[in-house]
Amino acid sequence: MDASIIIRTYNEARWLPAVLEAIANQTLARERFEVLVVDSGSTDGTREIAKAHGCRLVSISKEEFTFGRSLNLGCAVAEGRALVFLSGHCIPATHDWLERLIAPLGERGIAYVYGRQLPHERSKYSEGQLFRKYFPERSALPQEGFFCNNGNAALLREVWQDNLFNEALTGLEDMDLAKRLLAQGWKVGYIAEAPVYHIHEESWLRVRQRYEREAIALQAIMPEIHVDFIDFLRYFVSGVLFDWASALRDRCFLRFAGEIVMFRLMQYWGTWRGNNDHRKLSRRRKEAYFYPR
C-alpha cells in the first residue's frame, strides 16, 4: 500500500465530510491508500462520519491524549509506505494532492515532507498572512531548516519506526521530529504543489492558548529562544502594521482592521506567556494545553 492518511479529530463534524470527500476524489487509486481517523472523544458525530466514509477508526481517551501520542497510535496500525498526516479541518485543494505530497519521499534523502496551506474564506486575515509566510508558492526539495507542519505532511513509515513522535510536547511534534531527522542526515522537503485549505475557527481565547502551548513546546525544541516583554510589544505592533498595510492593498481594511489587532494580540501574548512559563504544568493546565478543544 502506498499511503496511510492519518487524521486526528476531536469534534470535527463541520469540516470532516468535505475533507473525506476531497480524499475520495484523489487521482491515486483508492486501493493504494487507506484512511485512519484517530479520535479523542468526539461527541458531535465525527466518529459516525468517519465510519460512513469507510475510515478505520482508532480511539484515544481524553486522559491519554497528546499530539504526539495520537499520531504514534495511528502510525502503529497504519499499513502504508508513506504516513500522511492531515488535520480534520484541512481540505485537500487539488485532485492530485496525495500523489504530489508523497512523491518526494525517498528522493535525495527526503524522509519527511509537508505541503502548502492556503487560507479558507472563513480564515482570519492575519492567519492568511502567516500561511503566505510559512507556505510559499515555490517548493524546496530539500529545504533548509527543520520547519514542518503536520496539518499537511507525509513521513516514510520505516523512518517513523525508529523515530517516534515526542509524546510529552504540548505541540510542534512535527518540528521536533524534523530537527532529530536532520541531525541523523535525513532531509525535510516542502512541496507547494500539494495544497490544502486550512480552516481555524477559534475563539480569541483558543487562539491565545494555541500559541501559548506552541511556545512552551518551542522552548523544549529551541531553548536558546527567549521572548521578553519588549519583544512581545515589538512583534505585536509590527504585525498589526504589516497586516493593516496588506489589508489596505487588498481593499478590505475596514472589514478586518479590528480582527487583525485581536489576532496579533492573542498570537504574541500567547507566545510571550508560553515562552516565559518555566513552571511544571498542573493537571488542569496540562489538560487545557494538550486537549484539542
Side-chain angles (χ1 to χ4, degrees):
M1 185 175 292
D2 291 353
S4 297
I5 302 174
I6 301 168
I7 306 174
R8 287 180 298 195
T9 61
Y10 177 74
N11 287 345
E12 297 283 5
R14 177 162 188 173
W15 297 109
L16 187 59
V19 173
L20 296 177
E21 287 166 13
I23 290 173
N25 290 323
Q26 290 298 300
T27 52
L28 188 66
R30 186 62 182 84
E31 63 271 14
R32 294 175 62 184
F33 69 92
E34 63 177 347
V35 183
L36 295 87
V37 170
V38 182
D39 187 73
S40 52
S42 293
T43 58
D44 67 342
T46 292
R47 295 167 63 87
E48 291 73 20
I49 292 169
K51 290 178 182 178
H53 283 79
C55 303
R56 293 172 61 192
L57 189 62
V58 181
S59 297
I60 182 171
S61 70
K62 177 178 178 179
E63 293 72 26
E64 294 177 313
F65 177 86
T66 69
F67 295 96
R69 185 174 297 140
S70 61
L71 282 184
N72 284 336
L73 184 62
C75 293
V77 299
E79 299 177 358
R81 170 183 173 270
L83 302 171
V84 176
F85 310 119
L86 185 66
S87 169
H89 47 267
C90 282
I91 304 172
T94 60
H95 293 309
D96 61 352
W97 158 79
L98 182 55
E99 285 188 277
R100 294 274 195 168
L101 184 64
I102 65 176
L105 291 176
E107 300 291 332
R108 287 176 280 182
I110 295 174
Y112 203 3
V113 64
Y114 64 103
R116 192 176 184 191
Q117 296 186 22
L118 302 170
H120 187 266
E121 62 182 11
R122 298 188 66 85
S123 297
K124 293 179 173 63
Y125 187 86
S126 295
E127 191 132 48
Q129 300 304 306
L130 291 175
F131 288 155
R132 294 181 182 94
K133 174 182 178 180
Y134 291 110
F135 307 101
E137 296 180 359
R138 191 170 183 176
S139 297
L141 297 168
Q143 69 169 23
E144 296 291 330
F146 55 85
F147 177 81
C148 192
N149 192 286
N150 276 342
N152 177 27
L155 172 69
L156 285 172
R157 189 174 191 278
E158 62 189 75
V159 173
W160 168 82
Q161 290 173 327
D162 295 324
N163 299 274
L164 303 186
F165 287 106
N166 187 330
E167 298 186 356
L169 291 175
T170 56
L172 304 186
E173 75 291 336
D174 33 32
M175 289 178 58
D176 172 79
L177 178 58
K179 183 179 181 181
R180 286 187 277 136
L181 293 181
L182 287 179
Q184 296 173 26
W186 292 104
K187 302 295 184 182
V188 176
Y190 168 66
I191 178 72
E193 292 79 17
V196 299
Y197 294 108
H198 194 156
I199 308 161
H200 272 132
E201 291 185 301
E202 301 171 311
S203 67
W204 293 123
L205 175 61
R206 298 308 299 180
V207 172
R208 195 202 75 194
Q209 289 176 336
R210 171 158 58 94
Y211 283 101
E212 187 172 351
R213 62 171 174 75
E214 288 184 355
I216 291 173
L218 188 62
Q219 211 170 46
I221 300 168
M222 302 177 69
E224 68 275 15
I225 290 182
H226 179 66
V227 179
D228 60 29
F229 190 72
I230 299 301
D231 292 325
F232 157 61
L233 294 176
R234 183 162 55 93
Y235 295 151
F236 166 61
V237 171
S238 61
V240 168
L241 293 178
F242 175 85
D243 290 354
W244 275 356
S246 180
L248 282 170
R249 290 193 299 270
D250 293 341
R251 299 183 179 181
C252 57
F253 177 81
L254 293 179
R255 180 182 175 190
F256 292 115
E259 177 195 282
I260 287 169
V261 173
M262 286 300 298
F263 184 91
R264 291 299 188 176
L265 176 62
M266 294 300 105
Q267 177 192 3
Y268 292 121
W269 183 15
T271 298
W272 172 69
R273 280 171 55 105
N275 185 259
N276 287 273
D277 191 347
H278 300 280
R279 297 167 295 172
K280 280 192 173 183
L281 300 180
S282 68
R283 180 178 180 83
R284 186 173 68 178
R285 292 192 68 203
K286 183 167 70 173
E287 191 89 346
Y289 286 127
F290 279 127
Y291 207 55
R293 293 287 174 89

